[in-house]
Amino acid sequence: MSIVETISKSAKTAKWVGVVMIIAGVLSLSAPMAAGLSISMLIGGLFIVSGVFQLLVVFRAGSFPRELLLGLLGVLGIMAGVYMIAQPGLALATLTLFLSGYFIASGILQIVAAFQARSQQGWGWLLFGGLVSMLLGAMIWSQFPLSGIWAVGTLVGIHLIFSGMTLLAIAGAVKDAASAIAD
């Protein structure tokens, strides 16, 4: 198989992945609470897996008495994961508040960076992005606990749609370039 055929084949796979991401994003937007609960449970599962592996490393290395803190972190990860799976609604509320705080802090940092970059072209976009981020964070915070129902699932859905569209665009450009080389 030539390099051009390999690139073309990869582009086709990337297009399908992009389509699946867009479909997942639309589904997330159509049922944001279900998506948010699923995300909080998935994160809980990841905490459990992470905690188990931390404990395995501590015990397999034979360093349990010396590495008590790492062992405790593993236990804490497992406990947090079990809690998130057992109480996905409360976990979702916590994720929503964290997300709100993240957007507000990120917006403030972007605004500060924008004013520091005033002499450079495009600094207004950085300022705009910071203002939008702060506004989104404040909106989520002010609508809490209601925002817990929609915020995480909606934002993940939007992210999936835009990431899928980006992947489709890149795959199309790669396939076009491969076709141009083949001709």
Side-chain angles (χ1 to χ4, degrees), residues 39-65:
I39 291 164
S40 67
M41 291 175 72
L42 175 67
I43 291 171
L46 293 173
F47 270 127
I48 291 171
V49 169
S50 171
V52 167
F53 277 105
Q54 276 185 303
L55 287 176
L56 281 174
V57 167
V58 169
F59 285 116
R60 298 269 306 196
S63 60
F64 178 67

Side-chain angles (χ1 to χ4, degrees), residues 99-111:
L99 193 62
S100 172
Y102 170 78
F103 281 136
I104 292 169
S106 172
I108 290 170
L109 293 175
Q110 284 179 330
I111 291 168

Side-chain angles (χ1 to χ4, degrees), residues 5-162:
E5 291 171 333
T6 302
I7 291 172
S8 294
K9 189 172 187 171
S10 296
K12 188 179 287 188
T13 301
K15 280 186 176 184
W16 279 110
V17 171
V19 168
V20 169
M21 289 176 75
I22 291 169
I23 291 169
V26 169
L27 290 173
S28 184
L29 285 176
S30 66
M33 184 169 181
L37 291 171
S38 299
I39 291 164
S40 67
M41 291 175 72
L42 175 67
I43 291 171
L46 293 173
F47 270 127
I48 291 171
V49 169
S50 171
V52 167
F53 277 105
Q54 276 185 303
L55 287 176
L56 281 174
V57 167
V58 169
F59 285 116
R60 298 269 306 196
S63 60
F64 178 67
R66 288 188 322 247
E67 300 298 336
L68 181 62
L69 286 178
L70 284 178
L72 289 175
L73 283 174
V75 170
L76 180 63
I78 293 169
M79 289 172 45
V82 168
Y83 177 78
M84 289 182 80
I85 290 172
Q87 299 290 328
L90 291 175
L92 182 58
T94 303
L95 288 173
T96 301
L97 289 176
F98 176 79
L99 193 62
S100 172
Y102 170 78
F103 281 136
I104 292 169
S106 172
I108 290 170
L109 293 175
Q110 284 179 330
I111 291 168
V112 168
F115 281 114
Q116 290 176 346
R118 273 187 305 205
S119 62
Q120 298 178 12
Q121 186 176 3
W123 75 274
W125 285 109
L126 188 58
L127 177 65
F128 177 72
L131 291 171
V132 169
S133 184
M134 275 187 58
L135 180 63
L136 182 59
M139 184 178 77
I140 292 169
W141 186 272
S142 71
Q143 292 185 1
F144 188 81
L146 182 63
S147 60
I149 294 171
W150 62 264
V152 173
T154 300
L155 294 172
V156 167
I158 291 169
H159 174 73
L160 285 170
I161 290 170
F162 278 97

Side-chain angles (χ1 to χ4, degrees), residues 159-178:
H159 174 73
L160 285 170
I161 290 170
F162 278 97
S163 294
M165 290 169 51
T166 301
L167 198 53
L168 281 174
I170 291 170
V174 166
K175 189 166 183 166
D176 290 347

